[in-house]
Amino acid sequence: MKNFREHFVFESIVEMSKREIPFVDNIYRPGSDRYFEFFRETRELWLEGKIELNDTNVDIIKTDIGEISMYKGYEVPLDWPMVESIEDWNESLNEEDPELNKPKRGGNKKFYVYVRDPKTKNIRKISFGDTTGLKVKLNDPKARKSFAARHKCETRDDKTKPSYWSCRLPRFAKSLGMQVDNPNGWW
């Protein structure tokens, strides 16, 4: 199985190289083990002179992308933009608990919030909000009513679920830099 996978990675590298496709557009999910393996394998093949690369791909391969290093006991991918901001990263490494039940902008969705899971007593990061470019329509009464009905906001009571926070977004609009006519909820 490993030989097939290695062969497949090699073939995709060669094909992308021939077509001059930027390696950042490779077929593997960004951040996955195979994504980083792709860059390590490409770098090795290029340094051995087994493949030729265009200038764009050479610039990418000359970085440390695909390499892993340790930071405060955590494995961190090098030369790869992190989804979370440095402040979020440092906050998560801090000994102190992050601020709970206060939604913030950012993360891998539009918003995130830290909550304490009542079952495990651990702090969890809940990400919520659309990432496809849709806008939050806080001041459109029809849109608010439709959202509340579609997501059954009146029944959402579990703080560890994104739907809970999406339904209560208007209550936190001011702290998130949004304006809202009725901050009491969607419904």
Side-chain angles (χ1 to χ4, degrees):
M1 180 78 172
K2 188 173 182 184
N3 289 336
F4 173 75
R5 191 176 88 198
E6 287 174 359
H7 178 72
F8 187 75
V9 171
F10 176 77
E11 290 298 320
S12 62
I13 292 169
V14 170
E15 188 63 28
M16 289 181 71
S17 173
K18 282 181 189 173
R19 293 183 184 192
E20 297 188 358
I21 298 171
F23 285 155
V24 293
D25 296 332
N26 75 54
I27 62 171
Y28 301 106
R29 181 179 51 84
S32 68
D33 290 340
R34 285 194 181 170
Y35 180 81
F36 294 125
E37 178 186 338
F38 175 89
F39 288 104
R40 288 190 300 271
E41 181 73 20
T42 302
R43 185 176 299 110
E44 187 178 311
L45 292 168
W46 179 70
L47 290 172
E48 292 173 357
K50 293 181 179 177
I51 60 170
E52 291 184 29
L53 304 176
N54 64 22
D55 291 340
T56 303
N57 287 335
V58 168
D59 289 343
I60 294 167
I61 293 305
K62 282 185 175 179
T63 69
D64 287 328
I65 191 165
E67 302 300 323
I68 306 292
S69 187
M70 294 299 287
Y71 176 74
K72 293 187 178 184
Y74 291 90
E75 285 187 350
V76 178
L78 301 178
D79 284 343
W80 188 66
M82 296 188 65
V83 173
E84 297 179 354
S85 68
I86 295 299
E87 292 81 22
D88 292 340
W89 175 259
N90 287 333
E91 188 175 303
S92 67
L93 294 178
N94 256 343
E95 293 296 321
E96 300 174 22
D97 290 343
E99 189 175 23
L100 300 178
N101 303 320
K102 300 285 183 185
K104 296 179 178 29
R105 285 188 177 271
N108 61 345
K109 298 276 192 163
K110 265 189 189 166
F111 310 102
Y112 69 95
V113 63
Y114 290 100
V115 298
R116 186 170 305 278
D117 189 331
K119 294 176 185 168
T120 64
K121 305 297 182 210
N122 293 331
I123 294 177
R124 290 181 51 192
K125 179 179 177 182
I126 309 299
S127 297
F128 63 99
D130 177 72
T131 58
T132 62
L134 295 176
K135 297 188 189 263
V136 179
K137 298 174 184 161
L138 295 178
N139 295 318
D140 181 346
K142 284 184 179 179
R144 284 174 70 145
K145 186 175 181 179
S146 176
F147 181 92
R150 203 170 49 249
H151 295 277
K152 301 178 183 152
C153 286
E154 290 182 13
T155 64
R156 303 296 180 190
D157 59 1
D158 185 354
K159 287 185 178 187
T160 63
K161 302 289 184 195
S163 57
Y164 175 90
W165 294 100
S166 292
C167 286
R168 284 153 183 82
L169 187 64
R171 294 179 185 169
F172 301 98
K174 188 174 180 181
S175 65
L176 295 170
M178 297 184 289
Q179 292 182 346
V180 62
D181 295 338
N182 179 10
N184 293 325
W186 286 107
W187 57 94

